[in-house]
Protein backbone atom coordinates (compact mmCIF):
# COMPACT_ATOMS: atom_id res chain seq x y z
CA UNK A 1 0.00 0.00 0.00
CA UNK A 2 2.84 2.36 0.90
CA UNK A 3 4.58 1.69 -2.45
CA UNK A 4 1.34 2.39 -4.33
CA UNK A 5 0.86 5.75 -2.55
CA UNK A 6 4.50 6.70 -3.18
CA UNK A 7 4.20 5.73 -6.87
CA UNK A 8 0.91 7.68 -7.18
CA UNK A 9 2.55 10.75 -5.61
CA UNK A 10 5.53 10.46 -7.98
CA UNK A 11 3.19 10.18 -11.00
CA UNK A 12 1.28 13.28 -9.85
CA UNK A 13 4.50 15.24 -9.35
CA UNK A 14 5.76 14.19 -12.77
CA UNK A 15 2.44 15.13 -14.39
CA UNK A 16 2.53 18.49 -12.60
CA UNK A 17 6.15 19.08 -13.70
CA UNK A 18 5.28 18.16 -17.31
CA UNK A 19 2.29 20.53 -17.33
CA UNK A 20 4.46 23.23 -15.76
CA UNK A 21 7.12 22.84 -18.50
CA UNK A 22 4.54 22.78 -21.29
CA UNK A 23 2.73 25.83 -19.92
CA UNK A 24 5.89 27.89 -19.52
CA UNK A 25 7.30 26.73 -22.85
CA UNK A 26 4.12 27.99 -24.54
CA UNK A 27 4.29 31.22 -22.55
CA UNK A 28 7.92 31.73 -23.55
CA UNK A 29 7.08 31.14 -27.19
CA UNK A 30 4.15 33.57 -26.99
CA UNK A 31 6.41 36.25 -25.52
CA UNK A 32 9.49 35.82 -27.67
CA UNK A 33 7.94 34.96 -31.05
CA UNK A 34 6.67 38.55 -31.66
CA UNK A 35 10.04 39.91 -30.53
CA UNK A 36 11.93 37.64 -32.89
CA UNK A 37 9.52 38.53 -35.71
CA UNK A 38 10.04 42.24 -34.98
CA UNK A 39 13.81 41.95 -35.13
CA UNK A 40 13.79 39.87 -38.31
CA UNK A 41 10.82 41.15 -40.28
CA UNK A 42 9.86 44.64 -39.20
CA UNK A 43 13.10 46.15 -38.04
CA UNK A 44 11.82 49.65 -37.47
CA UNK A 45 9.03 48.72 -35.05
CA UNK A 46 10.73 47.31 -32.00
CA UNK A 47 12.06 49.44 -29.95
CA UNK A 48 14.98 51.18 -31.63
CA UNK A 49 17.25 50.22 -34.43
CA UNK A 50 20.81 51.29 -35.03
CA UNK A 51 20.00 53.31 -38.14
CA UNK A 52 17.15 55.10 -36.34
CA UNK A 53 19.39 56.08 -33.44
CA UNK A 54 22.13 57.40 -35.71
CA UNK A 55 19.87 59.45 -38.01
CA UNK A 56 20.23 63.17 -38.48
CA UNK A 57 18.13 65.61 -36.48
CA UNK A 58 15.20 65.96 -38.83
CA UNK A 59 14.30 66.80 -42.36
CA UNK A 60 16.48 69.70 -43.41
CA UNK A 61 14.58 70.22 -46.65
CA UNK A 62 11.34 71.35 -45.05
CA UNK A 63 10.94 74.26 -42.70
CA UNK A 64 8.15 74.54 -40.19
CA UNK A 65 6.56 77.03 -37.86
CA UNK A 66 6.50 76.76 -34.11
CA UNK A 67 5.04 78.72 -31.23
CA UNK A 68 6.12 80.03 -27.84
CA UNK A 69 3.66 80.84 -25.10
CA UNK A 70 4.62 83.70 -22.80
CA UNK A 71 2.89 85.66 -20.11
CA UNK A 72 3.27 89.07 -18.53
CA UNK A 73 2.99 88.96 -14.75
CA UNK A 74 1.44 91.58 -12.48
CA UNK A 75 4.98 92.61 -11.54
CA UNK A 76 5.77 93.29 -15.23
CA UNK A 77 8.04 90.29 -15.77
CA UNK A 78 7.76 88.27 -19.00
CA UNK A 79 7.77 84.53 -18.33
CA UNK A 80 7.83 81.54 -20.65
CA UNK A 81 4.86 79.26 -20.04
CA UNK A 82 5.27 75.60 -20.97
CA UNK A 83 1.79 74.84 -22.31
CA UNK A 84 2.37 71.12 -21.87
CA UNK A 85 2.48 71.63 -18.09
CA UNK A 86 -0.81 73.50 -18.11
CA UNK A 87 -2.91 70.84 -19.79
CA UNK A 88 -0.92 67.68 -19.01
CA UNK A 89 -1.20 66.74 -22.67
CA UNK A 90 1.33 65.37 -25.08
CA UNK A 91 3.51 68.03 -26.63
CA UNK A 92 2.46 67.25 -30.19
CA UNK A 93 -1.22 67.40 -29.26
CA UNK A 94 -0.84 70.74 -27.49
CA UNK A 95 0.88 72.44 -30.41
CA UNK A 96 -1.40 70.68 -32.89
CA UNK A 97 -4.28 72.38 -31.08
CA UNK A 98 -2.55 75.74 -31.44
CA UNK A 99 -1.91 75.24 -35.16
CA UNK A 100 -5.52 74.17 -35.72
CA UNK A 101 -6.77 77.19 -33.77
CA UNK A 102 -4.52 79.65 -35.62
CA UNK A 103 -5.53 78.18 -38.99
CA UNK A 104 -9.27 78.19 -38.09
CA UNK A 105 -9.52 74.44 -38.70
CA UNK A 106 -12.36 74.12 -36.17
CA UNK A 107 -14.56 75.83 -38.76
CA UNK A 108 -13.80 73.17 -41.36
CA UNK A 109 -15.28 70.28 -39.39
CA UNK A 110 -18.33 68.49 -40.68
CA UNK A 111 -20.17 68.97 -37.38
CA UNK A 112 -19.49 72.43 -35.99
CA UNK A 113 -19.83 73.51 -32.40
CA UNK A 114 -22.89 75.81 -32.15
CA UNK A 115 -20.74 78.83 -31.24
CA UNK A 116 -18.50 78.19 -34.25
CA UNK A 117 -21.52 77.77 -36.51
CA UNK A 118 -22.89 81.13 -35.32
CA UNK A 119 -19.54 82.87 -35.87
CA UNK A 120 -19.20 81.31 -39.32
CA UNK A 121 -22.75 82.31 -40.25
CA UNK A 122 -22.03 85.88 -39.13
CA UNK A 123 -18.85 86.02 -41.23
CA UNK A 124 -20.53 84.48 -44.27
CA UNK A 125 -17.84 81.93 -45.13
CA UNK A 126 -14.55 80.66 -43.75
CA UNK A 127 -12.51 83.00 -45.95
CA UNK A 128 -13.99 86.03 -44.22
CA UNK A 129 -13.21 84.85 -40.69
CA UNK A 130 -10.36 86.68 -38.97
CA UNK A 131 -7.16 84.67 -38.68
CA UNK A 132 -7.08 82.72 -35.39
CA UNK A 133 -10.68 83.60 -34.60
CA UNK A 134 -10.85 81.39 -31.49
CA UNK A 135 -7.28 81.94 -30.27
CA UNK A 136 -8.19 84.61 -27.67
CA UNK A 137 -10.35 82.04 -25.85
CA UNK A 138 -7.55 79.46 -25.87
CA UNK A 139 -5.03 81.99 -24.56
CA UNK A 140 -7.46 83.16 -21.86
CA UNK A 141 -8.11 79.55 -20.79
CA UNK A 142 -4.39 78.80 -20.52
CA UNK A 143 -3.82 81.98 -18.52
CA UNK A 144 -6.66 81.09 -16.15
CA UNK A 145 -5.18 77.62 -15.61
CA UNK A 146 -1.80 79.21 -14.92
CA UNK A 147 -3.27 81.74 -12.48
CA UNK A 148 -5.34 79.17 -10.56
CA UNK A 149 -2.09 77.46 -9.53
CA UNK A 150 -0.89 80.63 -7.79
CA UNK A 151 -2.22 82.35 -4.67
CA UNK A 152 -4.51 85.33 -5.38
CA UNK A 153 -1.97 87.78 -3.93
CA UNK A 154 1.00 86.46 -5.94
CA UNK A 155 2.82 89.01 -8.15
CA UNK A 156 3.57 86.08 -10.49
CA UNK A 157 -0.06 85.93 -11.63
CA UNK A 158 -0.56 86.82 -15.27
CA UNK A 159 -2.16 90.05 -16.47
CA UNK A 160 -1.65 89.16 -20.16
CA UNK A 161 -0.67 86.15 -22.21
CA UNK A 162 1.03 86.13 -25.61
CA UNK A 163 1.57 83.51 -28.29
CA UNK A 164 4.49 84.13 -30.65
CA UNK A 165 4.82 82.32 -33.96
CA UNK A 166 8.24 81.61 -35.47
CA UNK A 167 9.40 79.92 -38.64
CA UNK A 168 12.40 77.73 -39.21
CA UNK A 169 13.22 78.05 -42.89
CA UNK A 170 15.00 74.70 -43.17
CA UNK A 171 18.04 73.71 -45.22
CA UNK A 172 20.44 74.05 -42.23
CA UNK A 173 20.63 73.97 -38.46
CA UNK A 174 20.30 77.71 -38.04
CA UNK A 175 17.86 80.49 -38.87
CA UNK A 176 15.28 78.84 -36.66
CA UNK A 177 14.07 81.99 -34.95
CA UNK A 178 12.45 84.01 -37.71
CA UNK A 179 9.56 85.82 -36.05
CA UNK A 180 6.24 85.66 -37.94
CA UNK A 181 3.50 87.13 -35.78
CA UNK A 182 2.18 87.42 -32.26
CA UNK A 183 -1.20 87.38 -30.51
CA UNK A 184 -1.78 88.99 -27.11
CA UNK A 185 -4.71 88.54 -24.76
CA UNK A 186 -5.25 90.86 -21.80
CA UNK A 187 -6.89 89.26 -18.79
Amino acid sequence: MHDLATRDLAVRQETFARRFRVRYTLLTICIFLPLIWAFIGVRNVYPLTAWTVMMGGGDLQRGHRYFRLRGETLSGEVVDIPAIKLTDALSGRTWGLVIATVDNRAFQLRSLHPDNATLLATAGDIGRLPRAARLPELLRAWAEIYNTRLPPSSPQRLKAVRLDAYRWIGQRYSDYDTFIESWRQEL
Side-chain angles (χ1 to χ4, degrees), residues 10-80:
V11 168
R12 283 190 208 163
Q13 287 176 342
E14 187 177 325
T15 304
F16 177 78
R18 191 176 319 118
R19 284 183 182 166
F20 180 83
R21 277 186 293 233
V22 167
R23 183 178 291 160
Y24 280 93
T25 301
L26 288 173
L27 181 61
T28 302
I29 290 170
C30 288
I31 289 173
F32 284 103
L33 192 60
L35 296 175
I36 292 168
W37 173 75
F39 279 115
I40 293 171
V42 187
R43 293 185 182 102
N44 236 1
V45 172
Y46 181 81
L48 296 171
T49 54
W51 55 86
T52 305
V53 173
M54 304 307 287
M55 284 175 60
D59 183 5
L60 289 177
Q61 301 305 313
R62 250 180 359 121
H64 67 277
R65 74 185 153 155
Y66 64 96
F67 302 89
R68 290 186 69 186
L69 184 62
R70 294 185 174 116
E72 185 180 331
T73 65
L74 293 173
S75 62
E77 181 183 357
V78 175
V79 294
D80 283 330

Side-chain angles (χ1 to χ4, degrees), residues 7 18 27 44 55 66 86 91 107 110 128 136 184:
R7 209 174 328 147
R18 191 176 319 118
L27 181 61
N44 236 1
M55 284 175 60
Y66 64 96
L86 295 176
S91 177
F107 298 96
R110 200 172 336 151
R128 293 185 181 162
R184 179 182 169 91

